Amino acid sequence: MLYHSTRDCALQANDVEAIISGLAPDGGLYVPENIPEFDWREWMALSSQEISAKLLSIFFPNLPEVSELVRRAYEGKFETQTLTPTVQVGELGVLELFRGPTSAFKDIALSVLPYLLVAAKNVAKEDAETLVLTATSGDTGKAAMEGFADVPGTQICVFYPDGGVSQIQRAQMVTQEGNNVHVYGIRGNFDDAQTGVKKIFAKAQNADVAKTQNNEENLPYKLSSANSINIGRLVPQIMYYFAAYRDLLKTGKIQSGQKVDFSVPTGNFGDILAGYFAKRLGLPVGKLVCASNSNNVLTDFLRTGVYDRRRELKKTISPSMDILISSNLERMLYFLTQDSQKVQKWMNDLSEVGKYELSAEQLADLQEHFWAGYCDDKQAQETILQVWEEEGYLCDPHTAAGWRVALDYLRESKQLNATQNDETNPAQNVMVVLSTASPYKFPRAVLEALGQKPAGDDFALLDQLYQLTGVPVPANLADLAGKPERHLAVIEKTQMQEAVFGLANF
Ligand SMILES: *Cc1c(COP(=O)(O)O)cnc(C)c1O
């Protein structure tokens, strides 16, 4: 399948090149030239792994033996054979995406990405070592290192905002083992980390050009990315929308063909964009509900058509969504307009002025698929408490945002239905909330939500939360406390390039 940059249709790459490079050379993101529709009904008898292999073979047709690749990627790493179970909690379906090795939804794709990259390099006969650059708001970094640790031919370098992640998230990263992993805290926020990584890509690109022109020395690595700017991160995430639909069919919650709405806690728009891909592939997806925290730039955008990042980034209890520059939205803008010049203009405006605006017609098109809301910390804590007391289900602060906004959407659409003629209105769709992290990654916020006084550091809180709820602590988190801290460097955000180019001397 052919891909091209969101900012220039003439900048093409095949699937293998797109995975290897991560970002298009002009700073745009790779998008597939077409998304084929097919009969999803045939997939409803398949296992999650089989669905995953089907998706990989559609989007990455040049990669051989994808079934075997998927088997190796997931084998023995998840708590359940289905990988991403959908459970019923009251009126809502809950799609549990945190049953993997680092207890957050990033595991679904980052278990696969290293295998995709190695396979792509084999096909391309690319011998150069790959340096995987990763900016993380807390969960991507650990999941990426877990996937890439000691993978031959790769180095992995992670930047996280110092003080901007939970103590458990930090501990997961700084204790990471493996001879090819590099971890830096930066004095800055996630947007700084992500922008810094993009700048390093641009610099390496220029260095490549300089090298061919002047025969100069150069980074001994090819850069790639484990962030959802890499299409290899995005595609494996499509699987669980199909798996959820399959599981709802199996339990009789829906009839075949009935539409399902999904509420997605959103930061970089990668998770929810995978839902849009599922819809384009033909799955009966209704509304995709975009749930934000107080960093509600996407809520404003999807309601007004104005994207305005000129606001203070707030630290919240759902740090993986503390993002103002939502990178995958760029792909959605391309699908919306099919106009790479327009996307390029908007992205220029975003970086130079800090804002851009859709036309009324474009906004209406977008709202066909998406509804948006946000949930502040207080509302998230109320939701955690309410879901626990009423349903006996323990959810993390990111999931709580998805939950709250799902209920807001249901309330609004019910009112809308009630004011219209009943006969013209179908019954409400079934709603599925994506649960993106284990509550044990954020024990302090969860205990406070449950009205407890957290006593001690986050490691002590794991036990306190367990004693209170009886919900099992994921093994990977229970093991953290005794592990030595190996990566203590904290640098200025302006030192990211130095850090990366310094790795050349390893
Ligand atoms: C990354 C993350 C999100 C946001 O996902 P995006 O793909 O960036 O929109 C939500 N919740 C958790 C727990 C995460 O780690």
Side-chain angles (χ1 to χ4, degrees):
M1 180 177 286
L2 263 189
Y3 291 79
H4 64 73
S5 168
T6 43
R7 300 183 193 181
D8 182 356
C9 292
L11 266 182
Q12 293 182 329
N14 68 17
D15 50 351
V16 161
E17 293 156 351
I19 293 170
I20 292 175
S21 53
L23 197 65
D26 63 346
L29 309 188
Y30 282 119
V31 282
E33 297 251 283
N34 62 331
I35 303 180
E37 212 173 310
F38 61 92
D39 191 1
W40 54 272
R41 285 177 177 82
E42 287 173 11
W43 289 20
M44 293 295 106
L46 303 183
S47 71
S48 301
Q49 288 80 350
E50 286 167 333
I51 293 174
S52 192
K54 290 269 190 204
L55 287 164
L56 297 185
S57 62
I58 289 174
F59 285 97
F60 308 133
N62 284 313
L63 297 187
E65 295 169 23
V66 284
S67 297
E68 175 61 12
L69 184 155
V70 168
R71 190 188 62 73
R72 298 209 327 259
Y74 288 124
E75 192 163 57
K77 293 196 199 143
F78 282 66
E79 287 174 34
T80 69
Q81 189 56 27
T82 55
L83 308 176
T84 58
T86 299
V87 299
Q88 193 69 26
V89 182
E91 287 298 291
L92 299 175
V94 179
L95 173 52
E96 295 188 337
L97 302 176
F98 57 84
R99 301 286 183 192
T102 75
S103 302
F105 99 90
K106 308 293 198 288
D107 285 329
I108 317 292
L110 284 165
S111 298
V112 181
L113 183 65
Y115 291 90
L116 293 179
L117 184 64
V118 168
K121 284 175 68 176
N122 279 338
V123 171
K125 302 202 168 40
E126 171 64 71
D127 297 329
E129 190 141 356
T130 307
L131 174 60
V132 181
L133 289 183
T134 306
T136 183
S137 56
D139 290 325
T140 298
K142 175 62 184 180
M145 286 189 285
E146 193 69 25
F148 278 102
D150 291 328
V151 171
T154 70
Q155 300 281 325
I156 166 115
C157 181
V158 168
F159 297 99
Y160 71 91
D162 184 41
V165 300
S166 84
Q167 197 185 351
I168 296 284
Q169 288 176 315
R170 176 184 172 278
Q172 281 186 304
M173 289 189 276
V174 302
T175 60
Q176 177 67 44
E177 293 168 12
N179 286 324
N180 61 342
V181 304
H182 315 279
V183 184
Y184 298 94
I186 64 158
R187 295 194 186 89
N189 58 36
F190 171 74
D191 286 330
D192 296 325
Q194 181 156 268
T195 304
V197 162
K198 284 192 173 173
K199 277 192 190 148
I200 296 169
F201 268 95
K203 171 136 186 185
Q205 181 71 25
N206 292 338
D208 258 357
V209 174
K211 185 190 166 197
T212 38
Q213 285 170 353
N214 310 328
N215 242 354
E216 275 175 17
E217 273 299 326
N218 182 0
L219 257 187
Y221 303 114
K222 285 261 182 196
L223 296 184
S224 189
S225 171
N227 288 105
S228 51
I229 54 179
N230 192 326
I231 193 73
R233 243 304 286 285
L234 209 59
V235 168
Q237 293 178 180
I238 305 169
M239 172 272 285
Y240 44 76
Y241 289 91
F242 284 88
Y245 198 90
R246 173 199 64 199
D247 292 346
L248 291 170
L249 273 177
K250 241 185 230 161
T251 53
K253 290 285 167 208
I254 53 169
Q255 305 293 319
S256 188
Q258 205 176 322
K259 282 188 179 165
V260 174
D261 299 332
F262 291 91
S263 178
V264 190
T266 302
N268 252 335
F269 213 77
D271 203 357
I272 196 166
L273 189 68
Y276 174 78
F277 272 69
K279 188 171 186 176
R280 288 279 305 271
L281 287 162
L283 190 73
V285 174
K287 275 282 192 271
L288 290 160
V289 174
C290 174
S292 300
N293 62 23
S294 301
N295 295 297
N296 55 359
V297 63
L298 286 170
T299 313
D300 291 346
F301 174 65
L302 290 167
R303 289 187 174 182
T304 66
V306 179
Y307 196 102
D308 190 347
R309 68 168 168 86
R310 297 170 303 176
R311 54 183 96 191
E312 199 64 31
L313 187 85
K314 294 176 190 152
K315 275 193 198 179
T316 72
I317 58 171
S318 43
S320 302
M321 292 153 61
D322 289 348
I323 292 174
L324 292 178
I325 304 169
S326 185
S327 55
N328 272 291
L329 189 62
E330 179 169 344
R331 285 193 168 103
M332 193 57 228
L333 294 174
Y334 178 77
F335 292 128
L336 182 68
T337 58
Q338 305 283 326
D339 181 347
S340 56
Q341 277 175 338
K342 179 135 268 168
V343 175
Q344 186 185 33
K345 163 114 185 17
W346 280 333
M347 291 303 110
N348 269 347
D349 289 351
L350 181 64
S351 87
E352 276 159 29
V353 189
K355 86 176 249 218
Y356 60 88
E357 183 167 359
L358 304 186
S359 71
E361 197 184 326
Q362 288 160 342
L363 177 61
D365 285 350
L366 205 53
Q367 288 174 340
E368 279 280 301
H369 301 289
F370 299 95
W371 190 89
Y374 75 99
C375 167
D376 65 22
D377 280 357
K378 186 161 160 292
Q379 293 168 322
Q381 293 198 307
E382 280 167 16
T383 305
I384 291 169
L385 179 64
Q386 194 180 350
V387 170
W388 175 247
E389 284 187 336
E390 290 175 13
E391 311 287 354
Y393 189 85
L394 193 63
C395 71
D396 99 290
H398 303 76
T399 307
W403 209 294
R404 176 82 175 209
V405 174
L407 297 181
D408 289 345
Y409 170 71
L410 289 176
R411 203 175 309 114
E412 187 179 297
S413 59
K414 261 186 204 143
Q415 274 170 5
L416 206 68
N417 276 351
T419 57
Q420 294 174 4
N421 182 350
D422 269 350
E423 281 172 47
T424 60
N425 271 295
Q428 199 90 34
N429 294 339
V430 165
M431 171 65 81
V432 173
V433 176
L434 272 61
S435 180
T436 49
S438 161
Y440 284 102
K441 288 195 99 165
F442 310 95
R444 189 170 302 274
V446 173
L447 278 164
E448 280 171 0
L450 298 179
Q452 305 293 307
K453 266 209 165 54
D457 63 13
D458 273 16
F459 303 110
L461 301 188
L462 293 180
D463 196 49
Q464 191 184 347
L465 188 55
Y466 172 68
Q467 296 299 335
L468 182 74
T469 63
V471 175
V473 185
N476 78 81
L477 301 180
D479 288 350
L480 267 182
K483 289 197 173 164
E485 297 197 344
R486 305 158 53 98
H487 309 279
L488 296 173
V490 175
I491 60 175
E492 300 300 326
K493 62 186 178 191
T494 51
Q495 293 177 308
M496 288 172 61
Q497 289 197 8
E498 253 168 77
V500 167
F501 284 82
L503 293 180
N505 304 320
F506 258 74

